[in-house]
Amino acid sequence: MKPGATTAIVNGKPLTLQVPVVIKDNKAWISDTFVNDVFQSGLDQTFQVEKTPHPLNALSADEIKQAVEIVKASPDFKPNTRFTQIALAEPQKAKVWDFVLNGTAVDAPRQANITMLDGKFVIEALVDLQDKKILHWEPIKDAHGMVLLDDFMACRRSSPAARSMPTR
């Protein structure tokens, strides 16, 4: 933008500014309504509705629930096992690039990487959400799981000094 400019180019199209651009200390200053003007103009493309879901979209709440149900149905799952992380297992990078560059939908089923704690032992699993099955289940040797909120609460309950500390 140039000093005094009364238009801005947004996604290749001109947008008339309510107040001209001012340059001060090598910085461009614009009207406090500029962002709203961009959104109201229809020129912004930040929030487009997806026609085809992006293959790197995070797992939905339903997918997370499904992954948990699949794992809990496994004979390897123990009742006191805690889930520490459930995240999308990313599809092959070449397929993602093909989606981004050519719009080709990723044909691979969505999968979930799951990390669990069984007591002090870490377990990693890979779940196929389409076929509703566990593809990989591996106890991780010599690993220590993350400290969870309920671990902090157990420490607090077990320590007289910690119990007397105020909570916010």
Side-chain angles (χ1 to χ4, degrees), residues 37-102:
D37 293 343
V38 170
F39 284 120
Q40 297 300 319
S41 71
L43 297 175
D44 174 67
Q45 296 179 2
T46 304
F47 301 105
Q48 291 185 9
V49 176
E50 292 180 324
K51 294 179 179 80
T52 304
H54 195 287
L56 296 180
N57 283 353
L59 294 174
S60 68
D62 287 339
E63 288 174 317
I64 292 170
K65 182 179 176 185
Q66 180 185 17
V68 168
E69 289 170 355
I70 293 166
V71 167
K72 284 185 171 182
S74 167
D76 293 321
F77 184 79
K78 295 179 185 165
N80 291 330
T81 301
R82 299 182 296 164
F83 293 87
T84 61
Q85 183 176 15
I86 302 172
L88 175 70
E90 297 178 1
Q92 294 174 357
K93 192 174 282 192
K95 291 186 178 207
V96 174
W97 275 115
D98 196 26
F99 172 84
V100 171
L101 299 173
N102 305 315

Side-chain angles (χ1 to χ4, degrees), residues 1 4-10 13-21 30-31 33-43:
M1 288 188 202
T6 57
T7 59
I9 303 300
V10 179
K13 297 182 180 164
L15 172 69
T16 302
L17 302 175
Q18 293 183 21
V19 178
V21 175
I30 56 174
S31 165
T33 63
F34 177 75
V35 172
N36 187 52
D37 293 343
V38 170
F39 284 120
Q40 297 300 319
S41 71
L43 297 175

Side-chain angles (χ1 to χ4, degrees), residues 137-159:
W137 182 281
E138 180 181 5
I140 306 300
K141 186 178 180 187
D142 299 326
H144 187 281
M146 68 171 63
V147 178
L148 303 176
L149 184 59
D150 57 333
D151 296 325
F152 284 111
M153 297 310 292
C155 289
R156 184 177 178 86
R157 286 189 301 271
S158 67
S159 167

